[in-house]
Amino acid sequence: MDALHVINTVFGVPRALIGVIHLDALPGTPGNTLDIGAITSRAVDDARVYRDAGFDGLLIENTHDRPYLKTNVGPEVVAAVSVIGAEVRRAVPLPLGIQILAGANSSAVAAALACGASFVRVEGFVFAHVADEGLIEASAGALLRYRRAIGAGHIKVFADVKKKHSAHAITADVDIVETAKAAVFFQADGVIVSGISTGEPAAPDDVRSVGQAVSAPTLVGSGISLDNLGCYPEADAFIVGSSIKREGLWSNPIDVERARVLVRAFRSGS
């Protein structure tokens, strides 16, 4: 339950639909083939599609930088995301978020401050988990001190709990509700519930339980589609990427009609 109306403060609406911009591989990463200008141009085009379809916000993610580095991504990635974010903000003044994989949470806050973004999506905020990249440890204490030190207190931190693409055996005795409560206790501005991987839906029972247990907003972070949009009445926001891409594949271009249909269903309360 968004008791502090965080979503309305950031997005200007009580429930928000956030479109993910999956950046092409950035300079210095194995899959990079484009210069910053071309990557930026594509990101701006995606932002305009989301705006025209009626989305409430945007989230930039360096999804194509596989395989991801753990925590420390290098100054070239932070600089690139900052430049791209600034150009997206200039072209489309929707509230913008930043996520830098994997677990580069302080870097995301720095980029967000540089480009005028409103929020960051972070992983490994509380407890620890084993991700594709290895052990991701809790970062809340260091992250929020860093946010304060650089004068970025206005940038909201939305934290994944029991994050996708991860094993949670080491915290098997701590369920998702207790994890969410811990994140809010450690001053996350919102918590994100996802499925087991990109494009996989979150369990409605998990979203319901978390939404009823915490005072911060609950966001659904993966697998949202036209078919399941109505399954999450307790959710305060939805982060959407894969389902509105061509053939429902995250690495494909946005399907404009899919995006518009999803927005219409969202607005109608489906």
Side-chain angles (χ1 to χ4, degrees):
M1 180 180 64
D2 189 4
L4 298 178
H5 308 290
V6 172
I7 297 301
N8 205 9
T9 298
V10 174
F11 301 99
V13 291
R15 295 183 92 213
L17 199 59
I18 304 163
V20 180
I21 299 172
H22 298 112
L23 297 180
D24 290 286
L26 298 173
T29 65
N32 173 250
T33 59
L34 301 173
D35 63 23
I36 287 293
I39 298 170
T40 301
S41 179
R42 290 189 179 190
V44 168
D45 287 345
D46 282 356
R48 287 173 172 149
V49 170
Y50 283 126
R51 176 200 61 195
D52 294 346
F55 278 70
D56 304 299
L58 306 169
L59 174 63
I60 286 177
E61 183 181 289
N62 62 324
T63 325
H64 287 271
D65 284 1
R66 299 169 296 164
Y68 308 118
L69 293 171
K70 186 179 73 171
T71 308
N72 298 311
V73 295
E76 69 282 359
V77 170
V78 182
V81 171
S82 300
V83 167
I84 295 165
E87 290 302 312
V88 167
R89 286 279 297 141
R90 185 174 291 112
V92 179
L94 287 175
L96 178 66
I98 302 292
Q99 180 175 24
I100 299 182
L101 302 168
N105 301 332
S106 294
S107 294
V109 170
L113 181 63
C115 71
S118 303
F119 66 97
V120 291
R121 180 177 183 174
V122 305
E123 56 187 301
F125 189 72
V126 290
F127 296 104
H129 62 266
V130 180
D132 309 55
E133 304 82 20
L135 181 66
I136 304 288
E137 298 190 65
S139 64
L143 178 65
L144 296 192
R145 283 165 174 78
Y146 177 70
R147 181 177 68 167
R148 184 178 182 87
I150 66 171
H154 59 287
I155 295 171
K156 304 300 184 185
V157 172
F158 297 150
D160 273 277
V161 291
K162 298 288 185 180
K163 185 185 177 291
K164 60 185 178 179
H165 296 289
S166 303
H168 298 282
I170 55 176
T171 56
D173 56 337
V174 184
D175 68 17
I176 193 168
V177 170
E178 292 305 314
T179 305
K181 286 180 178 178
V184 174
F185 180 70
F186 272 17
Q187 301 183 45
D189 298 297
V191 293
I192 302 172
V193 180
S194 66
I196 61 172
S197 62
T198 297
E200 290 298 315
D205 286 347
D206 286 347
V207 177
R208 181 180 307 109
S209 297
V210 170
Q212 293 173 349
V214 300
S215 58
T218 299
L219 298 83
V220 178
S222 71
I224 287 298
S225 68
L226 194 61
D227 294 332
N228 65 19
L229 189 58
C231 296
Y232 306 101
E234 288 80 14
D236 299 293
F238 301 92
I239 299 172
V240 181
S242 300
S243 71
I244 50 83
K245 298 297 187 71
R246 294 176 190 169
E247 302 176 358
L249 184 63
W250 68 267
S251 54
N252 284 342
I254 297 172
D255 184 314
V256 175
E257 186 56 27
R258 281 188 182 220
R260 289 173 177 167
V261 169
L262 185 70
V263 170
R264 286 198 296 267
F266 177 71
R267 299 294 176 219
S268 68
S270 300

